[in-house]
Amino acid sequence: MRKFPELSPRYIDPHPSPKGTAYTDGQYLPVSEAKISVLDYGFLHSDATYDVVHVWKGAFFRLDAHIDRFFQGLEKLHMSIPYNKEQVAEILHNVVALSGLENAYVEFICTRGNAPDFSRDPRNAINRFIAFAIPFGSVANPEQLERGLHIAITDVVRIPPPSVDPTIKNYHWLDLVRGLYDAYERGAETALLLDSEGNIAEGPGFNIFIIKDGAIATPDHGILQGITRQTIFDLCQQLQLTCTARRITPVELENADEVFITSTAGGVMPVTKANGNAIGSGIPGPVSQRIKDLYWAMHDSDAWRSPVTYPDH
Ligand SMILES: *Cc1c(COP(=O)(O)O)cnc(C)c1O
């Protein structure tokens, strides 16, 4: 007689995860216990949108901007969740408060969800909202933040806007992951991808800026419009620095005086090598450094903070 494996009553994850708190299907739970169905189209088709906001010294930074971008993505993807913006903000506050984290990376997601009978019609799926808070993480590690990242300008073309609208934050990451492996093979630490015309687009979860003769520029096309990118525009206006969104060629980037990348995960991060060659003097430049300092100083301003109320420890 054939012996069958025993059916487990519930799934126990053998893989480690960071500490943190999640919200899914109406329940708050340790992030290690948060699961989605294998039949969720967010997983099977990358049919999902998401956003990432951070908490720094016990307060969210530019929370409203992240929630607005998320709701715009929902609308463009014909998704809906049973919460309005205030209720989403409340859930995000709760996951952070329950996690006890003063510096947190907070991700919130809407997946297409499961469809009864595994229908291929996305209109039949019930969308799922998930949120979690884990310790704050950065694109660059402390050493890279100090000496600047080494980047490779790859030949990989970012998925073009007529295929996937890049202004919707999404999980179509196979091009970005391919870029990362290309970069590692060439001895670099992270990657830049091109747009379909061969101009610089963006990297895995970050936007890019160049500085030449005091003028700052960033790509205008084929990119996710980062909230950190927007913060740089705001800072430049305050500092009366010129900051333009336009096409940027790989050659222009290699010949820039300074380069930095921006992301909620890490803020403003200097780049000091491109394709193995030093950018400018090869050390993080003064303008990038000033912008980085001001970016972190903004975190103390009430205009941009939403403080979290934590349970008594
Ligand atoms: C999230 C993300 C960014 C950076 O956006 P921020 O809002 O500044 O964090 C840039 N590019 C892509 C592809 C992203 O997913």
Side-chain angles (χ1 to χ4, degrees):
M1 263 258 287
R2 191 189 144 107
K3 260 194 97 190
F4 293 98
E6 241 176 272
L7 262 190
S8 305
R10 64 184 276 277
Y11 173 67
I12 296 168
D13 192 343
H15 306 288
S17 57
K19 81 178 203 102
T21 303
Y23 175 86
T24 180
D25 297 321
Q27 301 152 64
Y28 290 93
L29 64 179
V31 74
S32 58
E33 297 294 320
K35 309 287 185 243
I36 63 161
S37 166
V38 291
L39 301 183
D40 190 312
Y41 287 117
F43 169 61
L44 294 176
H45 295 171
S46 282
D47 190 349
T49 186
Y50 74 109
D51 217 290
V52 176
V53 59
H54 68 283
V55 168
W56 193 251
K57 295 192 223 160
F60 284 94
F61 185 65
R62 303 201 83 163
L63 178 58
D64 294 346
H66 288 275
I67 291 180
D68 286 347
R69 182 171 68 183
F70 179 72
F71 273 81
Q72 283 161 19
L74 292 183
E75 194 175 337
K76 289 177 185 164
L77 294 176
H78 310 278
M79 288 177 174
S80 64
I81 54 173
Y83 313 112
N84 60 26
K85 290 181 180 179
E86 289 71 35
Q87 290 167 317
V88 166
E90 171 93 28
I91 293 168
L92 299 181
H93 270 92
N94 287 341
V95 289
V96 174
L98 293 172
S99 78
L101 294 164
E102 304 262 328
N103 299 316
Y105 172 105
V106 184
E107 183 153 340
F108 48 119
I109 305 159
C110 183
T111 66
R112 186 68 59 189
N114 296 42
D117 306 329
F118 206 49
S119 159
R120 302 297 164 127
D121 183 340
R123 293 171 300 184
N124 293 335
I126 299 159
N127 304 161
R128 179 178 267 128
F129 178 78
I130 302 163
F132 62 83
I134 56 174
F136 183 77
S138 169
V139 171
N141 66 35
E143 184 206 331
Q144 293 165 342
L145 281 174
E146 185 68 30
R147 60 130 160 96
L149 278 156
H150 300 167
I151 212 163
I153 304 171
T154 69
D155 302 323
V156 182
V157 175
R158 185 83 175 104
I159 192 166
S163 303
V164 173
D165 180 350
T167 65
I168 305 169
K169 205 166 162 71
N170 65 71
Y171 293 126
H172 289 264
W173 268 58
L174 294 187
D175 51 355
L176 297 167
V177 170
R178 182 176 176 176
L180 278 175
Y181 276 98
D182 258 24
Y184 299 151
E185 208 162 281
R186 292 160 55 179
E189 294 159 339
T190 192
L192 280 175
L193 275 70
L194 307 176
D195 68 13
S196 48
E197 296 160 13
N199 298 305
I200 301 289
E202 62 185 343
F206 58 79
N207 295 116
I208 183 126
F209 288 77
I210 66 167
I211 307 171
K212 185 74 179 177
D213 301 326
I216 306 178
T218 189
D220 61 344
H221 177 247
I223 53 155
L224 187 271
Q225 316 241 331
I227 307 291
T228 323
R229 177 178 178 272
Q230 182 55 47
T231 303
I232 304 308
F233 284 122
D234 297 345
L235 275 174
C236 285
Q237 192 167 34
Q238 211 178 298
L239 296 169
Q240 299 189 320
L241 290 170
T242 316
C243 188
T244 325
R246 60 171 174 83
R247 304 294 198 262
I248 294 171
T249 65
V251 171
E252 229 184 313
L253 188 140
E254 288 187 84
N255 293 316
D257 299 330
E258 297 181 36
V259 174
F260 63 85
I261 62 170
T262 62
S263 169
T264 296
V268 178
M269 298 164 273
V271 175
T272 46
K273 257 190 190 183
N275 293 343
N277 300 315
I279 291 167
S281 52
I283 56 166
V287 181
S288 310
Q289 192 58 47
R290 184 153 170 240
I291 290 174
K292 178 180 163 181
D293 292 345
L294 286 168
Y295 170 80
W296 288 107
M298 273 176 89
H299 287 66
D300 296 326
S301 156
D302 287 340
W304 307 111
R305 283 163 53 87
S306 315
V308 176
T309 309
Y310 294 87
D312 295 331
H313 298 294

